Amino acid sequence: MEAMAYRASTRTRIGYILDRETWLGPVMLFPAVLYILVLVGLPFLLAILYSLSDITVGDPSLDFVGLQTIQEVVENPVFQKSLRNTFVFTLVSQALVLVLGKILALALSTEFRGKWIFRFLILLPWTTPIALATISWLWMLDSVFSPIDWMLRAMNLLGPGAPLGPAKNLYWLGKPELAFFSVILVHTWRMLPLATVIMVAGLTSIPQDIKDAVAVDGASFWRALFEITIPLMLPIMAVATLFGVIFTFTDMIVIYVLTRGGPIDTTQVLSTWAFFKGIEGGNLAQGAATALFLFPVLLGVAVLILRFARRAEVA
Amino acid sequence: MAIVETRGLRKHFGDVAAVDGVDLASKEGEFLVLLGPSGCGKTTLLRLIAGLEQPTAGEILIGGQVVNGLPPRARKIAMVFQSYALYPHMTVFNNIAFPLKAQGMSPEERKKKVEWAASLLGINRLLHRFPRQLSGGERQRVALARALVREPSIFLLDEPLSNLDAQLRASARDELQQFQRRIGTTTVYVTHDQVEAMGMGDRISVMYQGKVRQIGTPQEIYHEPADTFVATFLGSPPMNLVERKDYLLGFRPEHFLPKDIASVQDKTVTFQFRVTRVEYLGADRLIYGVVAGANGESKAISRLSATLTFPIEPGKGYDFLIRSQDLKFFDKATGLRTGPKLL
């Protein structure tokens, strides 16, 4: 009897400790803090140190050279092209994602037969590992066996005497403009599901009464879309876009698998250029310096996300 | 201005008939109240008239024209929603101007119209504010102004006072009715609150389970209920129903008075009333008890004005009487009103 009472009281004592937020909070935060320090903070500091040195795989001593490495990196024309490409790929693909995602979200917010399979197909790209998905795109865009080319040929759009040229293939990844287009296409395809799902959530959060009021007030589809729906969804659309920006801006898998930066570095981006320079080329200092250029943009985007997320909560 | 009419209107959601054959016609400039408990189909009926739902069967006429196929904006109606449904990202001015903008009105005309509506409702000083900066009563007026600017032929109001606190509701009720009288637009008003319905309606349509049970003036609905549902839904406390051999006998609590103090010349009927409980409510006393019915005893309530100080104690029996003309008779099986029976 006494033993039981004692056990019960220890259990409540442990319960009290577990209930104390001043104690429980730091304990639960600890793994996350450790993770960020070791796997984010430490490499970040290391990258800054490397970029101020002339370290290579062959000569792994940290000799401080000031801004010389950074200057060398910036003056390289391939770096300049990579920097521009990174922005263009991100902005163009995210603009497309925004428009297409909005259209898909509007379509998914209405009721129709077979909606579930439609939704399933839209979500599918997000569930595939990005490397595998890009490999299948690599086959789709193959310079000889591309099924897209095959279909174009079957429709008499491609081949001798056809509007798209006398060649039997388009060489999607072989010509600079088409390679550029292909990369944007894959990035858009990749980010569309997440953006759509976020925007469907945003659409359904608009109260039915507001939608009814718009109908009674007599707004046309476009007026309702641009004056009511989009303004009300703006915070959540911003969050969707900023997520897409982070994913696309930092991604190297699509370029690495699809074009390896080619042809002749026309599709090179910062992450692939940093990888080729630093890891494959062994110039750790230049690789680190290149990668550091991602930082200011990501910082800005992160600040914006946090701000918009708070505004979305208020609304 | 116009009248609104429905003919054999039905709306089914799956197996549920939300609106089950409603024939209803408003009068010109009338304040028509749709009254009923929640789930009776009154809001669905309003949404059908607005064009926000498509009927399963039947016709809707506005101003003598069938509007079944027309979208809401082509029906010349304006609606005020329970939540007011103000656009949260627009100022009050832009909220009120939105329907005009949709009509393609010029900015100068729009401004004039908005100021006219705002001054009618006394909200001129709020025009630059956002909905979140307004109180419940102010939001309600903005919603009314937004409905008013379009000069609709029919106003549809869906429980517009239910989000206000009790004190504000009483004054808003008064304002709303005066406002409707002044502009004279036919108004269909949905509520589950019988006080609102009785106080504001020119006529009341009592709905239950998708059907209109009775339509009439507040006096008709209260004093001449068409069936036992209407009789017991209106009035607080509701009409007493005492079971007799082949009919139900109904009488209002305020007509059920102690014999000793009642000074009536008319023909009366007397009951032996055994009091079980007395509730003192300030202006009134509610006397709960039982009277003899066909199958044993039936519960009944008497409501006495506080000015009648006649002493009544629980546990004792008293003689209570009702004027014969205040007795209503209902069919036992159907609940429908029947002619007078011999007691």
Side-chain angles (χ1 to χ4, degrees):
Chain A
M1 202 52 197
E2 239 168 67
M4 262 170 69
Y6 173 74
R7 264 220 310 271
S9 75
T10 23
R11 197 181 301 157
T12 47
R13 207 178 303 154
I14 292 170
Y16 283 142
I17 294 170
L18 287 178
D19 276 345
R20 285 223 326 252
E21 278 187 28
T22 48
W23 189 83
L24 194 64
V27 165
M28 295 196 120
L29 274 178
F30 178 71
V33 172
L34 191 73
Y35 172 90
I36 288 173
L37 285 181
V38 173
L39 293 172
V40 181
L42 204 61
F44 180 61
L45 280 179
L46 219 55
I48 293 175
L49 277 180
Y50 280 8
S51 68
L52 298 172
S53 74
D54 62 357
I55 188 171
T56 62
V57 175
D59 174 16
S61 59
L62 264 179
D63 306 317
F64 183 75
V65 295
L67 297 175
Q68 195 195 321
T69 309
I70 293 178
Q71 195 183 344
E72 279 167 20
V73 163
V74 171
E75 281 169 359
N76 187 333
V78 179
F79 169 83
Q80 291 164 9
K81 195 181 282 175
S82 303
L83 187 65
R84 198 175 54 234
N85 283 352
T86 309
F87 275 98
V88 173
F89 286 154
T90 305
L91 295 180
V92 174
S93 65
Q94 287 318 300
L96 286 171
V97 164
L98 203 59
V99 174
L100 296 175
K102 179 78 206 178
I103 294 171
L104 284 179
L106 281 175
L108 277 178
S109 65
T110 54
E111 286 301 324
F112 55 90
R113 268 176 103 92
K115 182 173 164 178
W116 69 271
I117 196 153
F118 188 60
R119 196 163 44 194
F120 171 74
L121 288 175
I122 286 177
L123 267 177
L124 211 53
W126 192 248
T127 60
T128 341
I130 183 161
L132 290 182
T134 313
I135 288 174
S136 57
W137 274 106
L138 186 65
W139 294 337
M140 296 266 283
L141 302 167
D142 190 89
S143 54
V144 178
F145 303 109
S146 164
I148 301 173
D149 289 354
W150 182 85
M151 282 197 288
L152 289 173
R153 278 196 301 273
M155 288 188 286
N156 283 325
L157 290 170
L158 189 65
L164 286 175
K168 292 185 79 178
N169 287 290
L170 276 175
Y171 306 109
W172 290 97
L173 303 172
K175 292 184 194 157
E177 317 80 59
L178 276 180
F180 212 84
F181 170 81
S182 302
V183 169
I184 289 176
L185 177 80
V186 175
H187 273 309
T188 306
W189 174 84
R190 169 75 190 157
M191 288 313 303
L192 196 52
L194 180 70
T196 305
V197 169
I198 293 180
M199 285 197 246
V200 167
L203 263 185
T204 42
S205 73
I206 297 178
Q208 186 60 41
D209 270 4
I210 296 265
K211 295 174 191 166
D212 288 343
V214 173
V216 171
D217 281 347
S220 63
F221 171 78
W222 295 108
R223 185 181 294 280
L225 182 66
F226 285 109
E227 294 194 23
I228 307 289
T229 316
I230 289 183
L232 287 180
M233 278 179 68
L234 212 53
I236 207 154
M237 280 168 81
V239 170
T241 312
L242 293 173
F243 267 115
V245 166
I246 288 191
F247 274 105
T248 317
F249 201 76
T250 56
D251 179 75
M252 69 166 275
I253 299 174
V254 171
I255 303 284
Y256 188 80
V257 173
L258 221 53
T259 66
R260 296 210 146 227
I264 357 161
D265 290 325
T266 44
T267 58
Q268 205 69 262
V269 291
L270 284 180
S271 53
T272 48
W273 185 236
F275 181 77
F276 289 134
K277 269 276 172 190
I279 309 297
E280 297 204 335
N283 193 333
L284 293 177
Q286 290 207 358
T290 308
L292 271 185
F293 277 85
L294 294 170
F295 178 68
V297 172
L298 292 183
L299 184 71
V301 170
V303 169
L304 284 178
I305 286 193
L306 290 176
R307 193 176 278 181
F308 276 117
R310 200 180 318 147
R311 212 195 295 172
E313 267 170 39
V314 173
Chain B
M1 243 151 291
I3 63 167
V4 58
E5 194 179 346
T6 68
R7 290 180 188 161
L9 197 63
R10 284 174 200 282
K11 176 66 184 178
H12 295 251
F13 294 107
D15 294 335
V16 184
V19 171
D20 195 6
V22 168
D23 295 287
L24 195 69
S26 77
K27 291 175 184 163
E28 193 79 45
E30 178 181 46
F31 198 113
L32 178 66
V33 176
L34 302 181
L35 174 70
S38 45
C40 72
K42 56 193 191 299
T43 295
T44 307
L45 178 57
L46 196 75
R47 292 172 60 83
L48 284 166
I49 296 171
L52 294 169
E53 305 276 357
Q54 292 309 311
T56 311
E59 282 183 334
I60 303 159
L61 293 90
I62 294 176
Q65 239 189 330
V66 178
V67 294
N68 278 37
L70 295 181
R73 59 178 145 150
R75 296 189 178 196
K76 288 189 183 166
I77 48 116
M79 189 158 169
V80 175
F81 296 85
Q82 192 172 359
S83 67
Y84 309 138
L86 300 178
Y87 308 126
H89 60 293
M90 291 184 185
T91 59
V92 168
F93 182 93
N94 286 333
N95 260 285
I96 302 173
F98 186 74
L100 303 177
K101 223 167 149 189
Q103 283 176 0
M105 191 181 275
S106 74
E108 304 85 63
E109 264 185 279
R110 238 152 46 198
K111 190 161 184 289
K112 229 184 279 170
K113 248 338 196 346
V114 170
E115 276 164 4
W116 164 76
S119 63
L120 255 179
L121 287 149
I123 51 171
N124 292 71
R125 64 195 169 78
L126 305 176
L127 287 177
H128 58 278
R129 290 210 206 159
F130 284 93
R132 62 174 178 276
Q133 300 166 315
L134 303 179
S135 71
E138 288 166 341
R139 282 179 204 188
Q140 190 236 344
R141 286 179 202 196
V142 174
L144 268 177
R146 187 174 68 184
L148 176 68
V149 275
R150 306 174 56 207
E151 300 189 56
S153 49
I154 310 279
F155 266 127
L156 304 174
L157 308 179
D158 186 8
E159 309 217 13
L161 304 184
S162 61
N163 281 342
L164 304 179
D165 60 60
Q167 214 172 0
L168 198 55
R169 206 179 305 167
S171 65
R173 204 159 63 208
D174 178 49
E175 273 176 36
L176 192 59
Q177 199 192 25
Q178 291 206 12
F179 169 76
Q180 196 269 343
R181 293 270 182 277
R182 200 161 58 216
I183 58 168
T185 304
T186 310
T187 300
V188 182
Y189 183 104
V190 162
T191 184
H192 64 266
D193 183 336
Q194 49 166 310
V195 180
E196 267 175 38
M198 299 289 283
M200 296 169 79
D202 291 322
R203 282 192 307 159
I204 299 173
S205 160
V206 183
M207 288 187 70
Y208 184 58
Q209 292 179 340
K211 289 189 166 71
V212 171
R213 305 304 281 258
Q214 189 175 3
I215 178 161
T217 63
Q219 290 78 6
E220 284 166 357
I221 299 277
Y222 189 77
H223 293 296
E224 305 297 337
D227 59 19
T228 50
F229 172 75
V230 179
T232 51
F233 186 69
L234 280 129
S236 168
M239 183 177 271
N240 295 308
L241 290 176
V242 175
E243 210 170 314
R244 285 296 158 103
K245 210 152 68 197
D246 53 353
Y247 60 91
L248 293 169
L249 187 63
F251 49 92
R252 292 277 173 204
E254 63 270 26
H255 294 151
F256 191 45
L257 302 171
K259 192 177 184 179
D260 297 355
I261 57 162
S263 53
V264 278
Q265 321 295 322
D266 306 298
K267 243 179 96 189
T268 58
V269 178
T270 307
F271 283 95
Q272 174 67 25
F273 187 43
R274 190 160 58 73
V275 176
T276 55
R277 198 159 68 87
V278 177
E279 249 176 31
Y280 176 71
L281 297 179
D284 295 307
R285 252 190 311 175
L286 295 185
I287 322 292
Y288 294 78
V290 288
V291 296
N295 306 324
E297 293 177 318
S298 291
K299 285 188 177 169
I301 304 173
S302 158
R303 182 160 131 193
L304 300 182
S305 161
T307 52
L308 298 176
T309 50
F310 182 74
I312 289 172
E313 284 170 39
K316 288 189 177 169
Y318 299 88
D319 275 343
F320 270 54
L321 56 77
I322 311 146
R323 292 191 305 176
S324 298
Q325 64 188 83
D326 290 330
L327 285 172
K328 318 290 170 198
F329 301 85
F330 301 94
D331 187 275
K332 220 175 190 175
T334 62
L336 293 175
R337 186 84 178 272
T338 62
K341 310 262 184 187
L342 271 178
L343 289 173

